[in-house]
């Protein structure tokens, strides 16, 4: 096994109180992630105390965990690694109360020996979060601990302010980690490296050279068993406030004084403070046909399963540059891209019919999927007589480096960062409250939902929203496969 570089993992062994331990997120991401982090040696020692509504004992939890690893782990599970991991697992039913929970944590700490730290991961709906916080306080588990909160963090400004205030009664702000798994992805962080490490691009990263920006996250997935959650939330609260605005901040922020958590958080918050309130006239809300027939959905529901919007950052760097955001369920493709359109030359010297301008502006495109890719499109001359131009592209994929196996999954990286006390990829109370503040006009007067067929790109009115530009998705050209001969 490769030696883990110093400083990558936490200094002390960790006791993880995994709340919602038998739930879907825990099975799909958290248990496989914790297994990999411990098996690979990222954590110097780890014990996991599961906490859930299910009345199972430690052995029953081990069975659940093994089934989760067999079904969802993206890495091979060896029997030796599983044996060591299974020994670290314990479980307490929520109904057992604070004393039993505290006893389980103390057993885990004793098994680790020496000094350790606690991480409480709340994989529960936001409505249940405060009850869990109170339970942790009653169990006297706040000291030496950090708490990871799942989105959405509130549903409007008032609820976010209230949630923060009640949280701060128990935990200090520096103990709280509001998770956004989009920012845990390797390509999202690569935006910082791309922007600030390359003299080629940082000088043109502004309104003088960039025409508009698109952040586009369509999903082919439906809602499954999440209809009750979605009816109370919708696409804007579920995806835009918690994910797309965070990606926007990475893309738009000023250079931080250093790549440390506080300077990066401050620059992100400056972006949020510079955002203009969302105008309902600049928003298209959609709902896929058939949503109202889903189990648990109001037959007259106005909940949006799709949203597209234009927003503006009113500062020196971005004044006049529109940012277009789009996301939705049951759409034609599943993609996660940032597409930056550069301004076209002010005058063309090329003859009519040469092809210049026929295929839109040059684009820099980041693919935020786990297998990170980026592309830069440009015009180039077509071989042969005359001056005919075609759109060409330079493309890079993480697998080109041979390092794709080193990529941590988003939840793995974020859990590791929380254990280290690194807030770089997490949202602050100030940031989340500001985002709800700019959302007030939309939440108070949302435009009506427009129907769109499953498997489409959303309601037709999205084209008026982005005009005179065009949506970057669907791509006219597919990503090239470097393994294909002649590519």
């Amino acid at each position: 096994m490769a030696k883990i570089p110093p400083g990558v993992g936490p200094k002390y062994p960790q006791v993880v109180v995994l709340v919602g331990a038998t739930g879907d997120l825990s099975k799909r991401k958290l248990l496989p992630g914790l297994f990999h982090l411990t098996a690979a040696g990222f954590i110097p020692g780890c014990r996991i105390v599961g906490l859930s509504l299910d009345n199972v004992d430690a052995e029953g939890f081990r069975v659940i965990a093994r089934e989760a690893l067999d079904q969802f782990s993206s890495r091979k599970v060896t029997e030796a690694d599983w044996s060591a991991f299974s020994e670290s697992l314990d479980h307490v039913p929520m109904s057992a109360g604070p004393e039993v929970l505290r006893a389980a944590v103390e057993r885990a700490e004793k098994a680790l020996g020496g000094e350790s730290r606690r991480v409480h991961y709340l994989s529960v709906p936001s409505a249940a979060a405060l009850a869990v916080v109170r339970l942790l306080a009653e169990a006297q588990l706040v000291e030496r601990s950090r708490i990871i909160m799942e989105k959405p963090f509130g549903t409007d400004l008032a609820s976010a302010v209230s949630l923060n205030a009640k949280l701060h009664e128990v935990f200090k702000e520096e103990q709280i980690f509001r998770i956004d798994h989009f920012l845990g992805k390797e390509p999202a962080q690569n935006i910082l490296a791309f922007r600030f490490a390359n003299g080629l691009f940082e000088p043109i990263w502004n309104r003088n050279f960039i025409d508009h920006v698109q952040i586009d996250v369509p999903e082919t997935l439906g809602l499954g068993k999440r209809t009750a959650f979605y009816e109370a939330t919708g696409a804007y609260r579920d995806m835009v406030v918690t994910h797309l605005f965070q990606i926007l901040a990475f893309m738009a922020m000023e250079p931080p004084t250093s790549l440390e958590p506080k300077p990066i958080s401050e620059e992100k918050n400056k972006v949020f403070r510079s955002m203009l309130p969302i105008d309902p006239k600049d928003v298209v809300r959609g709902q896929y046909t058939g949503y109202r027939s889903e189990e648990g959905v109001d037959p007259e529901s106005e909940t949006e399963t799709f949203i597209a919007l234009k927003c503006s950052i009113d500062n020196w760097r971005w004044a006049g540059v529109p940012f277009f955001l789009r996301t939705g369920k049951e759409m034609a493709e599943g993609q996660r891209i940032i597409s930056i359109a550069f301004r076209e030359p002010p005058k063309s010297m090329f003859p009519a019919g040469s092809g210049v301008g026929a295929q839109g502006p040059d684009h820099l495109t980041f693919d935020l999927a786990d297998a990170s890719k980026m592309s830069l499109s440009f015009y180039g001359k077509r071989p042969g007589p005359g001056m005919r131009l075609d759109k060409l592209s330079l493309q890079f994929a993480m697998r080109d480096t041979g390092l794709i196996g080193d990529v941590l999954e988003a939840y793995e990286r974020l859990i590791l960062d929380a254990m280290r006390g690194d807030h770089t990829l997490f949202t602050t109370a100030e940031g989340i409250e500001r985002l709800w503040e700019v959302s007030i006009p939309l939440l108070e007067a949302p435009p009506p939902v427009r129907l769109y067929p499953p498997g489409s790109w959303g309601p037709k009115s999205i084209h008026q929203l982005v005009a005179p530009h065009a949506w970057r998705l669907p791509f006219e050209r597919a990503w090239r496969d470097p393994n294909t001969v002649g590519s």
Side-chain angles (χ1 to χ4, degrees):
M1 186 177 295
K3 182 175 173 59
I4 304 302
V8 171
K11 180 179 179 181
Y12 298 103
Q14 306 285 314
V15 174
V16 178
V17 177
L18 185 55
V19 187
T22 59
D24 187 63
L25 177 62
S26 178
K27 292 176 183 176
R28 288 178 178 274
K29 295 294 184 182
L30 306 181
L31 287 169
L34 287 165
F35 171 78
H36 175 240
L37 292 175
T38 54
F42 283 100
I43 310 172
C46 185
R47 309 285 293 191
I48 299 167
V49 178
L51 185 67
S52 75
L53 296 174
D54 291 325
N55 189 23
V56 298
D57 58 11
E59 193 54 44
F61 184 43
R62 292 186 183 109
V63 172
I64 292 169
R66 182 59 198 251
E67 289 174 350
L69 294 183
D70 289 342
Q71 187 172 359
F72 298 114
S73 178
S74 60
R75 301 174 177 90
K76 181 176 175 59
V77 179
T78 68
E79 288 307 311
D81 287 341
W82 163 249
S83 178
F85 185 69
S86 67
E87 286 296 315
S88 74
L89 299 177
D90 197 359
H91 185 272
V92 175
M94 196 84 74
S95 58
E99 292 82 8
V100 177
L101 175 60
R102 178 168 179 80
V105 171
E106 288 178 340
R107 282 197 306 273
E109 291 174 336
K110 185 177 180 181
L112 288 171
E115 191 172 354
S116 62
R117 296 288 184 270
R118 303 160 181 163
V119 172
H120 308 306
Y121 196 119
L122 271 58
S123 178
V124 296
S126 56
L130 286 177
V132 175
V133 169
R134 286 192 294 271
L135 176 64
L136 294 171
E138 290 168 8
Q140 298 179 317
L141 296 176
V142 176
E143 186 183 359
R144 294 182 289 108
S145 76
R146 297 175 175 121
I147 183 169
I148 303 176
M149 309 282 292
E150 274 289 335
K151 57 102 176 172
F153 200 85
T155 56
D156 55 20
L157 178 59
S159 61
V161 169
S162 174
L163 181 54
N164 278 326
K166 290 175 181 175
L167 259 179
H168 289 153
E169 291 174 3
V170 179
F171 291 94
K172 298 175 183 177
E173 177 64 18
E174 57 264 30
Q175 292 179 281
I176 302 168
F177 292 77
R178 300 168 187 82
I179 198 165
D180 171 17
H181 69 270
F182 268 48
L183 292 189
K185 293 180 177 294
E186 198 75 41
Q189 296 160 72
N190 208 22
I191 295 169
L192 295 181
F194 191 89
R195 283 192 59 190
F196 300 131
N198 295 297
L200 178 62
F201 289 99
E202 179 53 29
I204 62 171
W205 210 267
N206 56 58
R207 61 189 173 85
N208 296 322
F209 298 94
I210 292 176
D211 184 74
H212 67 278
V213 177
Q214 295 181 27
I215 302 175
D216 210 349
V217 186
E219 297 181 297
T220 56
L221 299 173
L223 294 171
K225 298 178 181 179
R226 299 178 71 225
T227 50
F229 163 80
Y230 220 75
E231 268 292 271
T233 308
Y236 183 79
R237 290 178 170 93
D238 182 44
M239 289 292 292
V240 177
V241 176
T242 51
H243 294 322
L244 273 60
F245 281 159
Q246 303 298 327
I247 293 292
L248 181 152
F250 262 31
M251 191 270 155
M253 64 190 277
E254 295 296 318
T257 54
S258 67
L259 284 179
E260 296 294 324
K262 285 186 178 179
I264 289 177
S265 291
E266 176 56 23
E267 296 304 334
K268 283 174 58 185
N269 286 342
K270 284 181 183 177
V271 173
F272 299 148
R273 290 197 292 268
S274 299
M275 286 176 64
L276 296 177
I278 305 301
D279 189 335
K281 296 195 297 296
D282 292 331
V283 178
V284 174
R285 296 169 70 239
Q287 187 185 90
Y288 66 79
T289 307
Y291 171 76
R292 293 174 183 175
S293 301
E294 303 258 14
E295 184 178 350
V297 174
D298 185 339
E300 299 180 359
S301 174
E302 286 290 305
T303 299
E304 79 279 358
T305 61
F306 168 98
I307 192 156
L309 63 147
K310 178 173 71 174
C311 60
S312 301
I313 301 172
D314 192 25
N315 64 13
W316 193 271
R317 184 181 290 263
W318 297 113
V321 178
F323 287 75
F324 298 101
L325 282 56
R326 176 173 65 170
T327 187
K329 302 291 186 184
E330 294 276 7
M331 297 185 70
E333 293 178 23
Q335 294 273 4
R336 294 173 177 178
I337 71 156
I338 301 175
S339 190
I340 298 155
F342 293 101
R343 295 193 184 278
E344 298 189 66
K347 183 173 174 59
S348 175
M349 67 183 73
F350 296 92
S354 65
V356 170
Q359 298 182 54
D362 300 335
H363 284 86
L364 176 63
T365 303
F366 294 89
D367 185 335
L368 299 183
D370 288 323
S372 174
K373 297 192 286 278
M374 63 183 70
S375 169
L376 178 63
S377 68
F378 57 93
Y379 281 105
K381 183 185 178 299
R382 183 186 299 179
M387 185 57 76
R388 289 283 299 165
L389 281 77
D390 288 327
K391 205 71 163 182
L392 309 174
S393 68
L394 299 171
Q395 294 189 6
F396 163 81
M398 184 63 72
R399 60 187 170 188
D400 296 342
T401 66
L403 298 175
I404 191 70
D406 293 345
V407 173
L408 287 178
E409 292 190 356
Y411 281 100
E412 295 172 356
R413 174 179 296 279
L414 292 169
I415 290 170
L416 203 61
D417 282 355
M419 288 177 172
R420 294 168 54 228
D422 186 338
H423 276 89
T424 302
L425 302 176
F426 297 85
T427 309
T428 65
E430 176 191 341
I432 198 69
E433 288 177 16
R434 172 58 185 166
L435 290 175
W436 286 121
E437 186 179 1
V438 302
S439 303
I440 288 173
L442 174 61
L443 298 180
E444 289 184 345
V449 293
R450 302 172 184 269
L451 296 180
Y452 64 96
S456 71
W457 286 98
K460 292 181 180 178
S461 50
I462 60 170
H463 301 296
Q464 285 86 49
L465 175 69
V466 79
H469 316 294
W471 288 102
R472 186 83 167 117
L473 288 175
F475 286 132
E476 293 181 5
R477 294 176 302 281
W479 290 98
R480 288 197 296 270
D481 183 348
N483 299 317
T484 302
V485 176
S487 62

